[in-house]
């Protein structure tokens, strides 16, 4: 079976307005500059998928608009209505002052959530083996009651709740490799024992006081939240070791019915918002490991929903590497930018990174995997 691919031109039309440093607050002493969450990196990734020849080898999946009932399984009625109203009257902000949007963004955000639903549906129904939803705006920071960090609706959470309501999905795991902590996804599922959330992120980058090692779930969900807050400067070595040492064992023990990846490329070299140096080779290897464990625990059911990544130059190379690995198709496109970082120290795992990874592994064993193993057997 093939790899599914979701894209719609409207994702590039989501308007984040002119701002300064991503805030939308330009003025007489703050010269306007395009918001950092712009369409460039996403549309250029889509272009790379086309010109590389990979596009013709992918199964095209049409996104659809998430219904109000889909959104309301995650978000409060007041929040959904506020985004609808502001979007219809010129735009506004999602709630944290860092999530500006313009006219029509309500509909585009519904399409992003619906695009993630479409990818998950195709994988669950066996239409495709795995899928990548290149959607915008992103979703992993959005909370039930507010938008945050450029995210309007929680795309992955909306898709999971949809699948539970309509497809009979029960156990699901979310792996978030965006450079920022997936705080919204964690908040939504932290009391849910049937949803494992794992976030690999740069420590205390955004949100600043979020994503600590000690955040492991609440109540019935204790032990199903894992955070790996990696030091700034982590590259392929640290990220791949974290996937191999923490993520793969957790997924093996949890045995989800499907694995969903919050696929941000802002941990990559050249990203303006992160301080990590993962290259396309690192993303390719992380994808290989997740694809392999998906084959073992859930029949290969693996879905990726696009999140951050703000280097228009480098995101296309990283995204292409992931989609090549998902599909098993090599396009022959060479990442001519990564050689500098592959020769540098970030290609290896430092002692500081190894310490964080080992701490996360031990916590997962103590608070999560042991408990999960007991429940399963």
């Amino acid at each position: 079976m093939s790899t599914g691919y979701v894209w719609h031109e409207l994702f590039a039309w989501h308007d984040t307005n002119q701002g300064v440093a991503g805030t939308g607050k330009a003025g007489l002493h703050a010269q306007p500059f395009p918001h950092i969450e712009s369409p460039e990196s996403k549309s250029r990734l889509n272009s790379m998928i086309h010109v590389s020849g990979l596009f013709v080898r992918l199964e095209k999946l049409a996104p659809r608009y998430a219904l109000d009932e889909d959104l309301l399984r995650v978000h409060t009625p007041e929040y959904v209505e506020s985004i609808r109203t502001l979007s219809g009257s010129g735009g506004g902000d999602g709630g944290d002052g860092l999530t500006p949007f313009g006219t029509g963004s309500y509909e585009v955000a519904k399409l992003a959530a619906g695009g993630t639903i479409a990818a998950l549906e195709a994988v669950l129904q066996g239409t495709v083996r795995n899928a990548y939803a290149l959607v915008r705006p992103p979703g992993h920071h959005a909370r039930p009651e507010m938008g945050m960090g450029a995210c309007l609706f929680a795309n992955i959470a909306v898709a999971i709740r949809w699948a539970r309501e309509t497809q009979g999905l029960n156990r699901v795991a979310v792996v978030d490799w965006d450079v920022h902590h997936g705080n919204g996804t964690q908040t939504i599922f932290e009391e849910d024992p049937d949803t494992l959330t794992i976030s690999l992120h740069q420590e205390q980058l955004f949100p600043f006081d979020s994503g600590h090692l000690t955040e492991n779930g609440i109540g019935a969900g204790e032990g199903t939240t894992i955070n790996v807050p990696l030091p700034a400067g982590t590259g392929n070595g640290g990220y791949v070791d974290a996937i191999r040492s923490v993520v793969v064992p957790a997924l093996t023990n949890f045995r989800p019915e499907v694995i969903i990846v919050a696929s941000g490329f802002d941990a990559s070299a050249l990203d303006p918002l992160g301080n990590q140096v993962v290259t396309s080779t690192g993303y390719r290897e992380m994808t290989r490991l997740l694809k392999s464990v998906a084959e073992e625990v859930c029949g290969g059911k693996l879905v990726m929903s696009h999140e951050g990544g703000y280097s228009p130059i480098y995101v296309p190379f990283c995204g292409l590497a992931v989609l090549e690995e998902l599909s098993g198709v090599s396009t022959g496109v060479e990442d001519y930018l990564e050689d500098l970082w592959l020769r540098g120290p970030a290609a290896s795992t430092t002692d500081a990174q190894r310490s964080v990874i080992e701490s996360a592994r031990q916590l997962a064993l103590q608070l999560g995997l042991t408990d999960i193993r007991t429940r399963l057997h």
Side-chain angles (χ1 to χ4, degrees):
M1 289 186 292
S2 60
T3 291
Y5 177 64
V6 175
W7 168 258
H8 194 289
E9 182 63 22
L10 275 178
F11 295 142
W13 291 21
H14 167 53
D15 178 17
T16 46
N17 297 313
Q18 296 280 304
V20 177
T23 66
K25 297 178 181 178
L28 293 177
H29 300 114
Q31 183 177 353
F33 191 80
H35 193 283
I36 200 73
E37 203 293 292
S38 76
E40 288 302 310
S41 62
K42 292 78 176 175
S43 61
R44 287 169 64 97
L45 171 53
N46 179 61
S47 296
M48 174 69 92
I49 291 166
H50 276 76
V51 301
S52 69
L54 182 58
F55 182 76
V56 298
R57 305 288 296 276
L58 303 175
E59 183 74 24
K60 269 61 75 179
L61 303 174
R64 58 179 182 271
Y65 291 97
L67 303 175
D68 283 355
E69 64 193 74
D70 299 325
L71 302 179
L72 293 173
R73 294 189 187 102
V74 172
H75 296 286
T76 65
E78 295 79 12
Y79 174 63
V80 173
E81 184 56 36
S82 73
I83 300 302
R84 187 204 318 267
T85 301
L86 289 170
S87 174
S89 57
D93 188 272
D96 67 339
L98 299 173
T99 311
F101 61 91
T103 300
S105 285
Y106 169 72
E107 286 79 12
V108 181
K110 288 178 69 176
L111 193 65
T116 305
I117 288 174
L120 180 56
E121 179 181 37
V123 169
L124 291 177
Q125 294 188 355
T127 305
V128 296
R129 185 75 163 180
N130 51 52
Y132 196 100
L134 180 51
V135 299
R136 177 175 177 264
H140 73 147
H141 294 309
R143 297 165 57 94
E145 79 286 2
M146 66 180 289
M148 189 175 185
C151 302
L152 289 179
F153 298 133
N155 301 326
I156 287 175
V158 169
I160 290 172
R161 292 271 172 86
W162 169 87
R164 284 186 167 144
E165 181 73 20
T166 67
Q167 307 294 302
L169 178 67
N170 186 24
R171 296 174 72 81
V172 59
V174 179
V175 178
D176 190 327
W177 65 35
D178 190 280
V179 80
H180 306 105
H181 177 230
N183 65 295
T185 310
Q186 176 177 304
T187 297
I188 292 163
F189 294 114
E190 63 188 347
E191 297 185 61
D192 181 354
D194 291 317
T195 303
L196 174 67
T197 61
I198 310 174
S199 179
L200 281 62
H201 49 272
Q202 183 179 323
E203 60 178 343
Q204 293 187 293
L205 179 61
F206 182 86
F208 301 118
D209 190 25
S210 179
H212 302 296
L213 279 167
T214 51
E215 296 171 23
N216 302 120
I218 297 173
E222 184 177 357
T224 56
T225 297
I226 300 172
N227 285 296
V228 189
L230 294 163
T234 304
N236 293 354
Y239 270 84
V240 171
D241 278 357
I243 294 287
R244 183 181 291 115
S245 301
V246 180
V247 178
V248 168
L251 294 172
T252 301
N253 282 276
F254 190 74
R255 305 200 74 80
E257 297 162 44
V258 63
I259 299 167
I260 306 178
V261 177
S263 178
F265 294 114
D266 37 13
S268 68
L270 297 181
D271 195 89
L273 288 188
N275 302 106
Q276 310 293 49
V277 283
V278 181
T279 72
S280 61
T281 294
Y283 283 108
R284 188 187 302 276
E285 179 64 11
M286 290 194 291
T287 303
R288 185 189 69 78
L289 289 168
L290 292 180
K291 185 179 176 183
S292 177
V293 74
E295 292 288 346
E296 178 184 346
V297 304
C298 55
K301 295 182 176 65
L302 179 62
V303 177
M304 296 194 179
S305 182
H306 197 85
E307 293 287 350
Y310 306 102
S311 171
I313 297 170
Y314 201 48
V315 164
F317 290 100
C318 297
L320 181 66
V322 167
L323 274 154
E324 283 186 340
E325 192 65 35
L326 283 178
S327 63
V329 175
S330 176
T331 66
V333 171
E334 179 184 0
D335 178 359
Y336 66 93
L337 292 168
E338 77 168 350
D339 185 57
L340 173 64
W341 292 283
L342 289 181
R343 289 187 283 110
S348 303
T349 309
T350 68
D351 289 342
Q353 295 161 18
R354 193 172 289 110
S355 176
V356 172
I357 294 167
E358 178 60 20
S359 295
R361 190 182 75 84
Q362 290 295 334
L363 274 171
L365 286 171
Q366 294 169 19
L367 297 173
L369 299 186
T370 300
D371 179 55
I372 291 166
R373 191 180 300 118
T374 300
R375 287 205 307 270
L376 287 175
H377 298 95

